[in-house]
């Protein structure tokens, strides 16, 4: 039986689209429709009677160019997917920049927390913070939007973690993420991110798919094999990877993500 | 004919000071407060309004434990961040503040006051700052150590300590005399009549606590000024046997008397009449919501306007666009008041 699946996504949809274009025969049980929209355009939509329609000219343009559709009849699909859309492990690391809690290796190693800059907070307060952050992402908002408009199963596929190339330390904006890894908190943060995201989306009736385990490096990063040659969806279409890109994954990653989706939908 | 009233200022006469004009003459600062003054705040629910308004007016309100970046205001308030200058929660009685300061000065907790809430644990001396709780009593104590150290660091910077007195009633541990902000068993823990006792502090006891508080504060920063206010918010409940209205008035009278006597006799200590401004008709009040307990935003604004004007500071900007009558917004602005939890037990 072939499942009709509609995948929505932002720039990270390109990895899955590349994989699908390169070898869709790998997923005989899937029939995919992909609709990409950059930035917050996915939220510029309305759902009435199970049909999702762009509500602005910019969204209409994106739907036409990246999906070839004027509207999406959600009822015609067996399942809906949301790809990336800012549901990223890096958010866990950025919140960790000023917060520590009991159970983290870095806290166990610190004799006097009160003299340090990061604040001691409870793990539950951190989780609440992370939940609030994830719910405000494009993915969080779009999942809620979709859930209110359709009874079809919805899966949200995590955004790929940041490239492991940042280990070189040249990207100052990634210091918080690197620091989380260097002080030994990466594993805990990775686990909390996936656990929190799963709980958050389950609570609104959306299935969460974490990043494929084999693509993860240093707990919070994506291994080089899954980032080299990545394309990304831009306003102008699929764009080749610039040297400075540290966010997008490649077709090999996309293939594994689709494997995960297929397995989840078959379960 | 000469007599003691002949040369008194207009503010001393009801006819001029109250019946015709109130405001500027109501309060004469005994020491200057500027935007550079480093202010610490503590007290009951009403003190949260004071801290917020002072911050809104650009005053330097110290914060021992600011929330980490990324924690939104609602979540922060739910976890006791930003409500006062320390994450100590509501401090309703002078005894509670005295014991907190003593604990800090003595170098940390001498005794573990940990309450259980379901499978989790909370600090009995600030049971609402972790709304869910922590995983173990040891973790509670680690957080308490951290809290005390941070509060100590904050107090060492404070030029002025504003304390809002709220209650005279408390529940305390029979063995140690340590008072709790809420009755054991209400938000967490278990009430045990053999271990816990009810107490109503007398005027003399409050006065003595204020003296001790003053002395303790001087140890953190010599010269630190004190400003006392009395919360106009009535008791949510009384365990003393009297009608709650009678108990409220008695408590406020006791606190008002102690604060006034202490301020009058102590250099560097002043009393600001928040209670009077909110409750008397002279200011167009009483300024209470229909529940006759919560102070209206207008009442809070009036208190703070008079306070800021008295110090030559510009009035706080009105709180961000609260449309009148928008119940949700008004409720969202409610202080975090664990005393309110008692209402859950009202029949």
């Amino acid at each position: 039986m072939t499942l009709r699946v509609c995948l929505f996504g932002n720039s990270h949809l390109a990895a899955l689209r590349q994989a699908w274009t390169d070898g869709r025969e790998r997923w005989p049980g899937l029939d995919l429709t992909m609709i990409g929209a950059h930035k917050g355009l996915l939220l510029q939509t309305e759902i009435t009677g199970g049909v999702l329609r762009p509500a602005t000219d910019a969204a209409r343009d994106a739907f036409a160019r990246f999906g070839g559709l004027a509207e999406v009849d959600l009822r015609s699909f067996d399942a809906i997917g949301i790809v990336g859309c800012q549901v990223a492990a890096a958010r866990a690391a950025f919140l960790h920049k000023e917060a520590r809690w009991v159970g983290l290796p870095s806290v166990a190693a610190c004799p006097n927390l009160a003299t340090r800059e990061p604040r001691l907070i409870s793990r539950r307060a951190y989780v609440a913070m992370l939940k609030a952050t994830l719910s405000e992402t494009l993915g969080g908002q779009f999942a809620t939007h979709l859930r209110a408009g359709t009874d079809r199963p919805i899966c949200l596929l995590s955004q790929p973690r940041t490239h492991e190339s940042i280990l070189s330390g040249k990207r100052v904006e990634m210091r918080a993420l690197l620091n989380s890894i260097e002080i030994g908190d990466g594993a805990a943060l990775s686990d909390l991110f996936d656990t929190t995201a799963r709980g958050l989306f389950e609570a609104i009736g959306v299935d969460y798919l974490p990043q494929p385990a084999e693509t993860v490096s240093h707990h919070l990063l994506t291994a080089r094999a899954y980032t080299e040659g990545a394309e990304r969806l831009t306003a102008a279409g699929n764009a080749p990877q610039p040297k400075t890109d540290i966010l997008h994954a490649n077709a090999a990653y996309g293939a594994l993500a689709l494997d995960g989706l297929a397995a989840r939908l078959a379960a | 004919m000469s007599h003691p009233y002949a040369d008194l200022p207009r503010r001393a006469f009801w006819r001029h000071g109250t019946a015709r004009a109130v405001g500027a003459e109501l309060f004469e600062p005994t020491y200057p407060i500027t935007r550079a003054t480093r202010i610490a705040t503590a007290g009951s629910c009403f003190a949260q309004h004071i801290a917020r308004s002072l911050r809104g007016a650009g005053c330097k309100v110290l914060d021992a434990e600011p929330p980490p970046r990324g924690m939104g205001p609602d979540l922060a308030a739910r976890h006791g961040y930003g409500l006062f200058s320390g994450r100590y929660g509501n401090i309703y009685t002078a005894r509670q503040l005295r014991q907190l300061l003593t604990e800090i000065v003595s170098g940390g907790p001498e005794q573990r006051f940990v309450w259980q809430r379901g499978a989790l644990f909370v600090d009995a001396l600030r049971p609402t700052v972790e709304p869910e709780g922590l995983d173990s009593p040891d973790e509670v104590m680690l957080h308490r150590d951290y809290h005390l150290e941070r509060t100590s660091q904050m107090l060492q910077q404070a030029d002025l300590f504003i304390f809002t007195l709220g209650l005279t009633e408390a529940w305390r541990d029979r063995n140690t005399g340590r008072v709790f902000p809420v009755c054991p068993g209400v938000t967490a823990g278990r009430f045990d009549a053999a271990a816990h006792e009810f107490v109503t502090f007398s005027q003399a006891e409050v006065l003595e606590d204020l003296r001790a508080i003053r002395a303790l504060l001087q140890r953190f920063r010599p010269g630190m000024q004190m400003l006392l206010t009395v919360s106009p918010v009535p008791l949510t409940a009384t365990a003393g046997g009297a009608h709650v209205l009678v108990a409220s008035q008695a408590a406020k009278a006791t606190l008002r008397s102690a604060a006034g006597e202490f301020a009058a006799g102590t250099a560097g200590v002043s009393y600001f009449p928040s209670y009077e401004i909110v409750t008397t008709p002279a200011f167009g009040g009483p300024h209470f919501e229909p529940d006759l307990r919560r102070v209206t935003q207008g009442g809070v604004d009036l208190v703070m306007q008079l306070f800021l004007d008295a110090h030559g500071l510009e009035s706080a900007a009105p709180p961000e666009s609260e449309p009148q009558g928008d119940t949700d917004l008004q409720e969202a602005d409610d202080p975090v008041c664990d005393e309110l939890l008692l209402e859950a037990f009202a029949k």
Side-chain angles (χ1 to χ4, degrees):
Chain A
M1 178 189 164
T2 300
L3 291 174
R4 293 200 69 211
V5 180
C6 181
L7 288 181
F8 293 96
N10 58 357
S11 59
H12 297 281
L13 186 61
L16 280 71
R17 193 156 73 169
Q18 253 187 303
W20 182 250
T21 305
D22 291 350
R24 67 179 63 188
E25 59 280 3
R26 178 167 166 170
W27 304 279
L30 293 182
D31 176 11
L32 297 182
T33 299
M34 300 197 197
I35 298 168
H38 62 289
K39 295 192 174 168
L41 290 178
L42 286 173
L43 294 176
Q44 295 178 21
T45 54
E46 295 168 346
I47 306 173
T48 46
V51 179
L52 182 141
R53 296 182 180 88
T56 65
D57 289 342
R60 266 186 286 278
D61 183 48
F63 271 51
R65 278 194 294 146
F66 303 131
L69 297 169
E71 60 182 32
V72 183
D73 187 346
L74 301 171
R75 297 167 300 186
S76 67
F77 294 97
D78 299 302
I80 315 290
I82 303 169
V83 179
C85 293
Q86 304 166 344
V87 180
R91 291 181 181 269
F94 290 122
L95 293 178
H96 167 264
K97 183 178 177 184
E98 291 189 357
R100 301 286 189 274
W101 53 95
V102 172
L104 288 176
S106 66
V107 169
C110 179
N112 189 355
L113 291 164
T115 60
R116 309 293 287 268
E117 188 52 39
R119 287 114 205 191
L120 178 68
I121 69 170
S122 65
R123 190 180 62 83
R124 287 176 181 79
Y126 172 82
V127 168
M129 223 164 57
L130 183 55
K131 259 188 191 169
T133 299
L134 293 178
S135 67
E136 288 167 9
T137 60
L138 174 60
Q141 293 184 66
F142 190 57
T144 304
H145 181 50
L146 276 180
R147 184 71 291 162
T150 177
D151 59 359
R152 293 292 183 263
I154 302 173
C155 294
L156 188 141
L157 287 71
S158 164
Q159 185 165 309
R161 285 157 167 74
T162 307
H163 295 189
E164 68 177 356
S165 63
I166 68 160
L167 289 169
S168 68
K170 290 175 183 167
R171 299 293 289 261
V172 288
E173 72 272 29
M174 291 291 129
R175 278 305 311 163
L177 181 54
L178 265 186
N179 186 55
S180 300
I181 296 166
E182 286 167 2
I183 64 177
D185 291 346
L189 286 177
S190 174
D191 183 51
L192 261 182
F193 166 71
D194 283 326
T195 306
T196 303
R198 184 175 297 114
L200 173 72
F201 289 110
E202 268 179 12
I204 58 168
V206 171
D207 206 7
Y208 169 76
L209 270 69
Q211 176 167 346
E214 55 270 57
T215 68
V216 175
S217 154
H218 297 78
H219 308 292
L220 291 172
L221 304 174
T222 298
R224 192 176 303 274
Y226 299 98
T227 60
E228 284 177 344
E231 289 187 357
R232 63 194 168 123
L233 201 66
T234 70
N238 267 24
Q241 187 174 38
K243 282 183 182 172
T244 54
D245 179 45
I246 54 171
L247 298 179
H248 297 88
N250 60 18
Y253 177 96
L256 291 174
L258 285 177
D259 287 348
L261 176 67
R264 184 64 62 91
L265 293 175
Chain B
M1 186 182 293
S2 175
H3 57 75
Y5 293 91
D7 297 324
L8 290 180
R10 288 163 62 87
R11 66 194 288 265
F13 293 90
W14 187 267
R15 181 179 166 196
H16 298 293
T18 300
R20 289 190 182 171
V22 288
E25 295 180 329
L26 186 71
F27 170 70
E28 289 186 345
T30 54
Y31 44 80
I33 297 175
T34 68
R35 286 207 170 77
T37 304
R38 289 164 297 191
I39 301 170
T41 68
S44 63
C45 307
F46 191 73
Q48 296 174 28
H49 290 305
I50 293 177
R52 191 183 307 129
S53 298
L54 286 171
R55 285 194 178 106
C59 293
K60 193 174 283 184
V61 179
L62 297 171
D63 193 347
E65 295 167 79
R69 212 179 321 170
M71 182 179 278
D74 291 344
L75 189 61
R78 247 169 45 81
H79 287 81
Y81 291 101
L83 304 177
F84 309 100
S85 289
R87 202 167 158 243
Y88 23 65
N90 294 308
I91 298 179
Y92 294 105
T93 61
R95 181 64 52 86
Q96 195 188 336
L97 178 58
R98 176 183 181 174
Q99 291 179 341
L100 171 66
L101 296 174
T102 303
E103 186 181 5
I104 299 171
V105 166
S106 66
E110 291 177 8
Q111 181 129 356
R112 296 159 70 102
F113 290 100
V114 179
W115 286 346
Q116 197 154 356
R117 180 186 291 148
L120 301 176
F121 301 88
V122 299
D123 185 343
L125 303 173
R126 44 178 198 146
T128 52
V129 299
E130 286 296 336
E132 293 176 74
L134 299 168
D135 288 327
S136 70
D138 284 347
E139 187 179 354
V140 170
M141 296 315 293
L142 189 134
H143 275 257
R144 182 151 194 87
D145 279 338
Y146 177 88
H147 162 63
L148 296 179
E149 177 58 34
R150 284 288 179 128
T151 304
S152 174
Q153 292 169 12
M154 180 273 293
L155 289 170
Q156 290 169 48
Q157 300 172 46
D159 301 314
L160 170 67
F161 192 92
I162 300 179
F163 180 43
T164 302
L165 293 140
L167 301 179
T168 53
E169 293 184 7
W171 288 89
R172 70 182 169 196
D173 179 69
R174 285 185 191 274
N175 285 335
T176 61
R178 191 74 196 246
V179 299
F180 303 111
V182 289
C183 179
V186 173
T187 60
R190 192 168 52 85
F191 180 75
D192 177 357
H196 307 127
E197 64 180 352
F198 177 73
V199 58
T200 303
F201 295 111
S202 68
Q203 195 265 5
E205 288 173 311
V206 176
L207 194 54
E208 178 52 32
D209 284 337
L210 290 173
R211 290 194 182 104
I213 288 166
R214 168 82 172 147
L216 286 161
L217 289 174
Q218 295 304 303
R219 293 179 63 173
F220 290 99
R221 186 170 171 85
M224 190 193 305
Q225 314 275 4
M226 253 181 107
L227 187 135
L228 299 172
T229 66
V230 172
S231 166
V233 179
L235 276 64
T236 294
T238 178
H243 188 283
V244 66
L245 185 144
V246 176
S248 276
Q249 294 298 89
K252 302 301 175 181
T254 300
L255 296 172
R256 173 65 189 87
S257 168
E261 184 175 339
F262 181 59
T266 315
V269 179
S270 60
Y271 170 78
F272 183 76
S274 304
Y275 175 80
E276 290 86 335
I277 294 166
V278 170
T279 57
T280 66
F283 291 91
H287 298 280
F288 289 108
E289 296 286 1
D291 64 4
L292 302 180
R293 187 170 186 279
R294 287 177 302 150
V295 179
T296 62
Q297 188 59 50
V300 174
D301 291 345
L302 180 60
V303 168
M304 295 314 300
Q305 179 192 329
L306 290 169
F307 179 81
L308 294 168
D309 286 351
H311 290 94
L313 298 163
E314 285 176 25
S315 294
E320 294 144 25
S321 62
E322 297 134 319
Q324 290 299 313
D326 187 329
T327 307
D328 288 339
L329 276 179
Q330 286 171 0
E331 287 182 356
D333 200 35
D334 266 356
V336 177
C337 197
D338 40 20
E339 199 202 358
L340 275 176
L341 296 165
L342 285 169
E343 283 189 347
F345 294 83
K347 291 176 184 167

